[in-house]
Amino acid sequence: MSDWPEPAVDYVQAITDTKIILGQRYAQWSLAGPSLEDDIGGASAAQEEIGHVRQLVRELEGQGRDADWLNGNREPEEFANAASLDRIDGNWPVYLASIAPADRAAWYMLDAIDRDDLDGLITKIGEDEYFHLEYHDARLQTLAAEDPETIQATLEETLPQALALIGPAGHDESADPLYGAGFTDRPVAELREAFADHYRDLFADTDVSLADVDWDAPQAEEWNETRRRVDSGTIADADVTQISGKENELFAMN
């Protein structure tokens, strides 16, 4: 077992759980997108996210987390994924505006980790994430022209949820425990600023206004540090069944 500071395990767990659910959501839409290009992109992203999860799970096992628990043998409320991924009820614009902020937030968190033993893994994940995030941005800009009302309404909900995954604004250089312990090279406050600036710039010349987004979320007193959210929402039981593979475990390859 290595010398990660105690809060780092929950931090990496939240990144990993977000990627687990991202993989599920990408897979669910891989045959339901508006074009063959989107379907193929979803299938590819799902495969890559699950590959990232396998590597991150190995790291978490090294920190004492149980392998079966990590791989889905747990209750829905034990997942620490971005809240925007719990359920996506809506059309293609809602889907994109729900997954894109969660994917970018998880990447910013991962990229901030400053550990020699994780450098290679983070670099490899970053190579995949570059294409995920570029694809999201391009499609969001197109959808901002086609359906600005839906994109705006969805982002007003999902951007604060992604900020909650990153952490509260009060976690600056003097108050962020992981930055103070040297586990990350940037405090949460800096990650939040980069995240907000990215989306403000992305929609600056569109009909989507982000003026009503709660950029100060989450309130520190309401924030659950383990699950990195302010609500008590969860993924569905059906998601857990699918993630754990219980329904088809008889046919698993040995």
Side-chain angles (χ1 to χ4, degrees):
M1 197 174 293
S2 68
D3 56 346
W4 288 15
E6 186 173 347
V9 182
D10 285 339
Y11 180 89
V12 176
Q13 183 74 61
I15 297 169
T16 305
D17 285 352
T18 294
K19 284 183 166 290
I20 290 173
I21 309 305
L22 278 168
Q24 291 294 111
R25 301 299 175 241
Y26 281 128
Q28 289 164 354
W29 276 85
S30 63
L31 294 176
S35 70
L36 180 60
E37 177 188 5
D38 291 308
D39 291 346
I40 292 171
S44 177
Q47 185 176 30
E48 288 168 350
E49 291 293 356
I50 298 308
H52 302 166
V53 167
R54 288 197 182 102
Q55 297 299 317
L56 291 167
V57 161
R58 290 192 184 100
E59 298 296 335
L60 289 166
E61 283 185 72
Q63 301 303 313
R65 293 279 161 105
D66 179 74
D68 288 341
W69 186 89
L70 289 167
N71 285 304
N73 188 20
R74 45 183 154 143
E75 299 301 317
E77 60 270 19
E78 294 181 281
F79 284 82
N81 57 279
S84 63
L85 302 177
D86 286 350
R87 289 167 177 76
I88 302 179
D89 299 319
N91 56 15
W92 184 249
V94 172
Y95 167 73
L96 255 296
S98 298
I99 67 164
D103 206 345
R104 182 168 293 277
W107 167 243
Y108 281 16
M109 293 168 67
L110 188 62
D111 187 50
I113 295 174
D114 187 19
R115 295 278 308 191
D116 290 342
D117 54 336
L118 296 177
D119 277 352
L121 173 58
I122 293 170
T123 298
K124 177 61 179 72
I125 291 176
E127 292 170 357
D128 295 335
E129 287 297 336
Y130 172 82
F131 294 103
H132 296 189
L133 302 184
E134 286 290 300
Y135 168 81
H136 293 160
D137 286 352
R139 295 297 279 123
L140 283 172
Q141 286 191 310
T142 299
L143 292 168
E146 296 174 353
D147 191 354
E149 293 84 2
T150 299
I151 294 295
Q152 180 174 317
T154 306
L155 289 174
E156 286 174 359
E157 180 177 0
T158 61
L159 287 173
Q161 291 171 328
L163 287 169
L165 178 68
I166 296 172
H171 280 197
D172 56 16
E173 289 188 357
S174 63
D176 185 337
L178 292 179
Y179 178 76
F183 189 78
T184 58
D185 62 10
R186 282 153 284 170
V188 158
E190 187 173 331
L191 299 181
R192 290 171 55 93
E193 183 177 1
F195 179 88
D197 286 347
H198 176 83
Y199 282 105
R200 288 183 178 123
D201 291 344
L202 184 66
F203 293 104
D205 297 321
T206 73
D207 291 330
V208 172
S209 170
L210 302 181
D212 291 333
V213 171
D214 183 5
W215 295 110
D216 296 326
Q219 299 301 310
E221 63 274 14
E222 300 174 352
W223 185 62
N224 183 319
E225 185 175 2
T226 301
R227 300 195 68 215
R228 303 189 83 86
R229 61 168 70 205
V230 297
D231 61 46
S232 59
T234 69
I235 57 175
D237 288 335
D239 290 321
V240 178
T241 299
Q242 191 168 19
I243 291 165
S244 64
K246 290 179 180 178
E247 187 169 334
N248 293 307
E249 62 186 351
L250 176 66
F251 307 103
M253 295 178 65
N254 295 318

